[in-house]
Amino acid sequence: MERDKKLRWVDFINGFEENRKVTLEKRDFVAEIEAAMKTEVKKEDDYGEEKIKSYRSKADKLKELDALLEKGTSHLDSSQIMALFSSYRSLGEYDRMIDIYNHAENKDFTEAPFVREQLAHAYRKRRFVASGKDSRDDLRRSEDISRRLIEDGYGNGITYENIGLCQRYRAGMETEDSSRRQMLLQKSVATLEEGFAQTFEASLGLQAAYGNVMIGNDDRGRETAKLAFMAALRDGAEDSGNFNLVSTALQAACLAGEPKEVVDHFCRRIEATIKHDWELDIVKKRMEQLCARIPSEQSRDVLKRIEGFEQNRKDGTDETGRIIFKDKVKEDRYITDDPVSQAVHDNSYNYRGCGLAYSGMDRIAGNTRFGGQLMDHVISRKDIRLMSEMVKMTPAELGIPMSDEEKKAFDRPLSQIKDSEKALDLIDRFVRQSLTTENFAGTGLHMEDNALAKNKNGESVYDATVKSMMRASGKAYQEKDPHIDTRTNIVAMLALGMGDCRHHAQLKQLMFDMCQRSQMNEQIGKLYADVRQDKVVDTDGEAARKFYDVLDTELRTADVQVRMPVLMKQKNAEGWAREQEGEWRKDENGIEYWHAKILREDGKKIWNETVFGQAKPGEEAPVVKKDRTYEPELTEDGKFRVDPKGLMHNVEDHTLCYLMRRERKTGRLTSLKTCDAFYQSKDYDWKLKEIDLKAVRVSRSGNPLIPVGELSGARTDTGEPVRIFHVPTRYNTGERSEQVKDSIGRDVCFCGIRMAGFDTVDDLMKMVRNRKKMAAIMLTTLRTDKETKDIDTLLPERKGKAAGNKDKKAQCEANRDAYAKKTQKAGQKSLQKQITEKHEQMQINRIDMKKGPYDR
Amino acid sequence: MNDFPFTIVCPHCHTENKVTARSGENVVGEFFEEVQDFHCAYCGLKIGEVLSAVPPQTEIKEQGG
Ligand SMILES: [Zn+2]
């Protein structure tokens, strides 16, 4: 095919069967590729147990891949060609990659910047493999491909770096003509500098710095390194789990001569992020080179510490192939002794460094998976591109509802609004309007009620719509097949106007991070202009100060448990869950932690070292009771029952953002606020709520317990208010980007189906502005879906039509009430009513935390 | 131009590989190397990265040698 088939939404919802066919076809192809690339061959032994029989060689793999390629690529779409292309790449077969590209008819594949970047890479690498060829040709071709990408507006760290490297290799070949060699070397450095000036990508900044040192411009190299270091900070290097980013920051800090405590911090981070011996070797070699060329105390220190790591390293690796150190690595995430700052950072994330070129060739996406059965949520380069275009629009252009005064005051691009709380307020309005938070798709459902507004099938109109949309895409709900593609770009959710708290948080985070990124780049740009005129970077000047102001005001998303000391319905939990008994103790740093007593089913109590302990090998996991989230035990008149033991229970899972400000020098938090795009007007007032920093506790395993207000006495059986807490749970170690092998990086998918209408930001905005039409798309799907249950309880406006020609709004309200009555389980009715009269008691009555433990 | 060989066991198929990387192609000198992937000589998958001026070469290490 010459182009991929992209569906318009209206075709999408009429394509239940066709989409199923496409889904299965694509699944089979993915399975074929995976089979070809398999390394381990397993076989059952006589006892029926699976054992690894043998390992397949590269030749075996190539044979099967070649057989697939033999069929040609004309029947394949871009993601399928990409899957083949990437498979050859992961075997280092550059010639085959070039062949595939040159024979591919599919223009969506051949035009994609991500594909062209890899082609340029293949030409650069191939020259070493191909014998009897003038490799200068391949280098020039590689350079050309990158140049054309820049001309087309797709220049990034990878393209500039590739040109710089090609020029450097060509310089290396000029063994006879030293003036030509010198000229090419200088050209190479100039390319890297130009690249950094255009993209402000940290890795490119470091390359430019090294390049300057290489040609003898030591001072300019050092000044450039200062900015590469700032760029790495901008991408979140301070608390990142990404080795490449942390390593870039460490090298830049050494070359720039950053203070000892900063270099020390990145040394600790390197030790914590390093997975393989060869990573250690790379940093070590660079440090040796730095020490030899520009000796400094910092680099010598780092080198010494890296040699120390080598001695501290145990033989062998853990089960994930990661190296193990004898002494446990200190997991400091931040240059601070502030446990709250560190705990909140550890358990949250942002998108400051998402979708960039720092992590090498493989990454194109921050792949965000939410929950086992849900669609794969993806933030690709395409999402980032569209979002960064969006924040260049003014709030009015984005259609954000504003007062006349605001219209006058904020008549500039969203990214230029420097008051962060104001910008966040405007972003909230945009997100809530786009996702129709207060009246989902015009059905009368306020999304803030979604957690409890379930009908007898356990679903709300939102839940049912999500399921119908998934079925329309050809997926069976909760289908567990690793080869089924449910990739969904965040911009597709935005266009459609479908999203729960996670998407609210994700969109808000992304838009705000794009705004901040452009503000920080503006300052780096000013400083870099000085460097290019051989001036010294003024690290205390206005531009630097502005940069750090933005850097130190950070929005972070966390997946939290909302915990209160109220009784919840219970279920049996497998595994090593926690019984709520124990005592508070202090660890060696004076930080309190809950020393839990584990109650086993046989009635035996054992002490467990941490709140989050795991069963020891060979020990039977006890059966314990666990809270049923979203199902509180209520009194007959619908009040929460306060746990007489004062123990904390998990009432619901939630995702929201926090806004944190910190002091640059000490890294200590100066302010922490909830910054929730979702819970604002009903159950909870978390839009912007200052948190009492002194009242935040950190468990020994590093989870913060954040007080966020109270549940009023009117809603509890005792008449006493109870406090509400957030417990952010660790998402992962900070590494959020993931390899996506079968995407060209610029298609927009909804649940694995490629959608049309996302070519430009204007196309996207057309959909975002037309909420009515997109609501109709969703509701039509719900109606045509044969598996939708009880359409009447879900879609009140249908009944409204039959009832006659009432005022629409009143009708909606009436229907909503009827719907609520019908769907509420006994007891929840008065809860819902009471939910609105929250938090009037402002005097915070501190609960003595020593009374009760909490767990995740 | 310096060749520096080292051995590494492939995490995918456990074959012992001898890897040869190279520093400073010709006369350009320090900081010339780029971070390059290297692949297992048996199963073909990436087993690591190294600073080298050319793509590192891998071969299966002879047993007992
Ligand atoms: Zn191998």
Side-chain angles (χ1 to χ4, degrees):
Chain A
M1 58 190 86
E2 200 182 323
R3 290 272 175 199
D4 288 339
K5 194 173 169 197
K6 289 183 194 145
L7 295 188
R8 294 178 305 152
W9 287 101
V10 53
D11 302 326
F12 173 87
I13 61 171
N14 290 318
F16 278 69
E17 273 144 41
E18 181 61 28
N19 291 343
R20 181 71 187 162
K21 222 175 92 195
V22 172
T23 296
L24 295 181
E25 264 171 32
K26 290 185 88 168
R27 177 197 66 183
D28 293 345
F29 186 80
V30 171
E32 271 182 303
I33 293 259
E34 209 174 283
M37 289 295 287
K38 217 161 92 180
T39 295
E40 290 174 1
V41 182
K42 283 184 183 162
K43 253 203 168 162
E44 281 185 6
D45 62 11
D46 295 344
Y47 304 98
E49 230 175 279
E50 274 216 332
K51 291 247 163 79
I52 294 171
K53 181 91 192 314
S54 58
Y55 297 101
R56 293 175 68 235
S57 69
K58 179 177 173 179
D60 284 348
K61 294 171 188 169
L62 280 179
K63 209 170 122 194
E64 274 190 48
L65 281 180
D66 288 348
L68 281 172
L69 187 58
E70 199 85 326
K71 295 179 195 160
T73 56
S74 56
H75 62 295
L76 302 177
D77 72 11
S78 66
S79 68
Q80 291 171 320
I81 307 177
M82 189 65 194
L84 259 177
F85 193 69
S86 311
S87 298
Y88 282 118
R89 191 195 64 200
S90 60
L91 295 173
E93 286 296 310
Y94 306 114
D95 275 323
R96 296 279 215 298
M97 290 169 73
I98 292 166
D99 269 0
I100 291 180
Y101 188 89
N102 290 338
H103 289 102
E105 288 167 19
N106 187 315
K107 290 206 169 94
D108 286 307
F109 174 77
T110 54
E111 286 170 4
F114 185 53
V115 174
R116 286 152 70 192
E117 277 165 22
Q118 296 199 23
L119 181 72
H121 181 256
Y123 272 115
R124 175 156 64 79
K125 295 275 172 177
R126 174 175 82 161
R127 70 185 190 94
F128 294 101
V129 189
S131 53
K133 268 198 162 182
D134 184 358
S135 54
R136 268 171 250 219
D137 268 1
D138 278 346
L139 283 175
R140 274 195 210 97
R141 196 159 318 160
S142 178
E143 241 180 283
D144 279 350
I145 296 165
S146 292
R147 269 188 218 292
R148 214 156 308 137
L149 275 167
I150 294 169
E151 277 164 26
D152 292 350
Y154 294 104
N156 64 13
I158 291 169
T159 47
Y160 283 102
E161 189 180 350
N162 186 53
I163 299 174
L165 282 170
C166 287
Q167 287 166 329
R168 223 192 274 182
Y169 280 122
R170 275 168 53 208
M173 290 172 184
E174 297 291 344
T175 44
E176 310 286 302
D177 187 344
S178 72
S179 69
R180 190 169 156 71
R181 185 174 69 224
Q182 206 53 31
M183 185 270 290
L184 276 166
L185 271 183
Q186 281 180 349
K187 244 183 161 177
S188 155
V189 176
T191 304
L192 295 169
E193 287 195 331
E194 178 58 20
F196 185 57
Q198 293 299 328
T199 65
F200 304 116
E201 286 192 30
S203 61
L204 207 51
L206 182 64
Q207 298 276 351
Y210 280 144
N212 270 300
V213 173
M214 186 173 72
I215 57 172
N217 296 339
D218 291 9
D219 289 343
R220 186 148 159 169
R222 195 176 296 121
E223 297 309 304
T224 307
K226 286 180 187 171
L227 297 176
F229 179 66
M230 284 166 85
L233 289 182
R234 175 206 60 208
D235 292 346
E238 242 162 317
D239 69 313
S240 170
N242 180 307
F243 167 77
N244 287 311
L245 179 59
V246 176
S247 152
T248 300
L250 176 66
Q251 293 175 48
C254 283
L255 184 50
E258 290 292 328
K260 186 176 163 18
E261 64 268 21
V262 174
V263 175
D264 274 357
H265 169 77
F266 284 102
C267 259
R268 284 197 300 271
R269 291 303 307 149
I270 277 282
E271 197 177 354
T273 52
I274 226 155
K275 289 192 187 80
H276 311 286
D277 280 321
W278 42 269
E279 291 176 334
L280 214 55
D281 290 339
I282 291 173
V283 186
K284 191 179 159 196
K285 195 168 169 198
R286 280 293 188 230
M287 285 303 148
E288 282 168 353
Q289 287 175 331
L290 262 182
C291 285
R293 186 67 178 74
I294 314 184
S296 74
E297 206 181 317
Q298 284 93 329
S299 338
R300 268 196 299 271
D301 267 6
V302 174
L303 191 57
K304 230 182 267 161
R305 289 185 64 155
I306 289 172
E307 283 160 357
F309 294 170
E310 282 179 331
Q311 275 153 24
N312 188 21
R313 180 202 186 300
K314 278 188 195 169
D315 285 340
T317 56
D318 70 7
E319 67 279 7
T320 62
R322 189 180 174 142
I323 56 178
I324 323 160
F325 292 109
K326 285 176 203 151
D327 293 327
K328 213 178 167 297
V329 178
K330 215 175 157 215
E331 272 269 1
D332 287 8
R333 285 249 156 176
Y334 192 67
I335 315 173
T336 180
D337 56 354
D338 181 351
V340 175
S341 172
Q342 201 164 302
V344 177
H345 256 90
D346 268 7
N347 292 286
S348 62
Y349 52 89
N350 65 16
Y351 298 122
R352 279 185 171 178
C354 182
L356 294 166
Y358 59 74
S359 52
M361 282 297 295
D362 288 329
R363 89 302 115 217
I364 58 156
N367 196 344
T368 324
R369 284 161 216 274
F370 291 128
Q373 322 303 337
L374 290 159
M375 302 174 238
D376 254 353
H377 286 276
V378 169
I379 293 177
S380 71
R381 279 193 195 186
K382 176 79 181 183
D383 295 287
I384 300 269
R385 205 175 165 91
L386 287 172
M387 284 288 186
S388 54
E389 289 294 314
M390 250 166 57
V391 301
K392 286 181 194 159
M393 298 165 77
T394 67
E397 285 165 343
L398 286 165
I400 297 173
M402 284 182 294
S403 67
D404 288 343
E405 247 170 57
E406 286 176 320
K407 273 181 200 154
K408 246 186 254 160
F410 303 114
D411 186 23
R412 58 199 133 111
L414 190 62
S415 61
Q416 290 297 311
I417 297 169
K418 309 241 161 125
D419 173 349
S420 359
E421 286 180 14
K422 191 69 219 176
L424 285 162
D425 175 28
L426 292 167
I427 291 172
D428 267 354
R429 290 185 221 175
F430 176 75
V431 171
R432 288 173 78 87
Q433 177 172 272
S434 306
L435 299 180
T436 58
T437 314
E438 276 149 43
N439 182 2
F440 171 66
T443 60
L445 171 69
H446 195 302
M447 283 301 291
E448 289 180 54
D449 292 336
N450 190 48
L452 295 170
K454 312 290 183 192
N455 67 5
K456 65 178 191 301
N457 303 313
E459 47 187 33
S460 67
V461 62
Y462 175 79
D463 304 339
T465 307
V466 173
K467 288 180 194 170
S468 283
M469 289 299 288
M470 280 183 83
R471 281 193 284 264
S473 80
K475 315 294 176 298
Y477 186 63
Q478 297 201 337
E479 183 169 37
K480 276 187 188 156
D481 183 333
H483 300 125
I484 292 246
D485 183 9
T486 62
R487 225 173 323 161
T488 303
N489 289 75
I490 187 69
V491 290
M493 297 297 273
L494 173 68
L496 191 56
M498 188 170 89
D500 57 26
C501 60
R502 290 169 291 225
H503 311 101
H504 280 73
Q506 211 175 11
L507 280 168
K508 179 177 187 171
Q509 182 75 58
L510 202 51
M511 283 179 85
F512 186 67
D513 286 349
M514 292 302 114
C515 290
Q516 283 202 322
R517 191 176 172 79
S518 104
Q519 288 168 20
M520 285 189 272
N521 282 353
E522 189 187 327
Q523 306 310 330
I524 298 179
K526 279 182 198 159
L527 294 168
Y528 192 53
D530 286 348
V531 174
R532 292 182 95 186
Q533 290 171 21
D534 287 322
K535 286 185 201 154
V536 174
V537 174
D538 183 4
T539 41
D540 296 318
E542 204 197 341
R545 193 178 46 73
K546 279 185 180 165
F547 171 86
Y548 285 111
D549 267 358
V550 180
L551 182 73
D552 290 334
T553 303
E554 194 179 0
L555 191 72
R556 293 188 71 92
T557 301
D559 301 326
V560 305
Q561 291 194 338
V562 178
R563 298 184 70 88
M564 299 179 216
V566 296
L567 295 172
M568 301 294 291
K569 290 192 179 138
Q570 300 289 300
K571 62 180 174 191
N572 283 345
E574 293 289 319
W576 196 263
R578 298 147 293 272
E579 177 56 38
Q580 324 281 358
E581 221 181 314
E583 64 186 30
W584 282 99
R585 292 187 180 178
K586 274 188 181 167
D587 70 7
E588 58 276 12
N589 299 318
I591 295 170
E592 281 179 291
Y593 68 95
W594 180 251
H595 196 72
K597 225 175 190 178
I598 305 282
L599 184 67
R600 298 209 310 210
E601 206 189 22
D602 58 9
K604 220 171 146 189
K605 276 178 192 167
I606 38 166
W607 287 101
N608 191 35
E609 269 309 299
T610 65
V611 186
F612 310 110
Q614 298 236 322
K616 294 185 183 77
E619 201 167 18
E620 239 174 80
V623 176
V624 283
K625 300 285 182 192
K626 215 177 153 187
D627 291 336
R628 241 182 227 283
T629 322
Y630 305 104
E631 291 183 35
E633 292 252 22
L634 299 168
T635 60
E636 273 172 21
D637 55 348
K639 292 185 178 180
F640 283 98
R641 289 182 197 273
V642 177
D643 185 336
K645 290 193 217 158
L647 304 172
M648 303 302 285
H649 295 270
N650 179 25
V651 179
E652 68 172 280
D653 296 326
H654 181 48
T655 300
L656 81 163
C657 305
Y658 295 98
L659 183 64
M660 45 202 293
R661 288 202 174 85
R662 59 201 174 186
E663 194 182 44
R664 173 73 351 216
K665 276 246 146 43
T666 61
R668 292 192 150 255
L669 276 185
T670 55
S671 144
L672 177 65
K673 290 175 182 175
T674 62
C675 200
D676 194 346
F678 192 75
Y679 282 133
Q680 298 192 339
S681 60
K682 299 200 117 205
D683 298 29
Y684 311 111
D685 57 344
W686 295 335
K687 181 181 161 107
L688 196 68
K689 196 177 184 107
E690 184 86 51
I691 290 159
D692 178 3
L693 281 173
K694 288 196 283 301
V696 180
R697 285 174 182 277
V698 179
S699 80
R700 202 164 85 127
S701 37
N703 289 69
L705 179 66
I706 303 172
V708 287
E710 6 177 81
L711 187 72
S712 84
R715 295 174 59 195
T716 63
D717 61 343
T718 58
E720 294 288 320
V722 293
R723 295 180 77 192
I724 309 173
F725 293 89
H726 285 172
V727 184
T729 48
R730 185 171 290 237
Y731 188 85
N732 57 22
T733 53
E735 167 83 83
R736 294 183 57 75
S737 59
E738 200 180 276
Q739 266 191 43
V740 177
K741 285 179 112 186
D742 53 352
S743 167
I744 53 164
R746 67 168 180 176
D747 43 8
V748 171
C749 293
F750 180 82
C751 210
I753 300 290
R754 203 177 279 109
M755 303 305 301
F758 291 90
D759 288 347
T760 66
V761 70
D762 290 336
D763 298 335
L764 170 63
M765 285 309 296
K766 248 180 240 161
M767 291 187 273
V768 172
R769 284 191 195 104
N770 202 342
R771 291 299 80 185
K772 237 179 167 172
K773 192 174 154 196
M774 300 312 283
I777 295 276
M778 289 188 276
L779 299 185
T780 309
T781 315
L782 196 57
R783 284 194 194 104
T784 47
D785 180 4
K786 289 184 201 110
E787 290 179 54
T788 303
K789 291 171 195 151
D790 294 337
I791 190 96
D792 288 337
T793 62
L794 294 170
L795 286 176
E797 81 267 35
R798 283 198 120 200
K799 284 171 90 184
K801 259 176 210 159
N805 221 357
K806 280 187 223 161
D807 168 52
K808 256 201 171 166
K809 201 177 163 194
Q811 208 179 82
C812 258
E813 296 274 292
N815 286 330
R816 207 191 122 192
D817 282 353
Y819 166 54
K821 256 184 213 155
K822 211 169 180 175
T823 57
Q824 272 156 18
K825 289 168 201 154
Q828 281 187 1
K829 182 178 163 191
S830 44
L831 161 73
Q832 284 235 327
K833 287 204 167 154
Q834 285 171 40
I835 254 162
T836 45
E837 37 155 293
K838 65 216 141 149
H839 314 307
E840 64 268 67
Q841 253 180 294
M842 292 314 289
Q843 180 63 42
I844 292 176
N845 192 5
R846 282 200 189 150
I847 284 179
D848 185 4
M849 280 311 301
K850 287 182 183 167
K851 267 189 196 161
Y854 75 97
D855 55 62
R856 317 192 335 141
Chain B
M1 201 169 3
N2 278 318
D3 280 352
F4 54 98
F6 57 96
T7 57
I8 185 169
V9 176
C10 171
H12 313 289
C13 71
H14 310 288
T15 303
E16 200 170 8
N17 278 270
K18 184 183 163 209
V19 187
T20 310
R22 187 180 291 175
S23 64
E25 184 174 301
N26 297 329
V27 277
V28 185
E30 69 258 306
F31 307 118
F32 186 86
E33 307 86 356
E34 63 170 307
V35 178
Q36 314 226 29
D37 295 352
F38 54 92
H39 295 249
C40 173
Y42 176 72
C43 73
L45 295 177
K46 174 179 166 179
I47 47 179
E49 290 171 16
V50 65
L51 277 171
S52 178
V54 295
Q57 298 302 309
T58 43
E59 52 194 315
I60 297 171
K61 207 182 164 195
E62 294 303 324
Q63 289 299 312

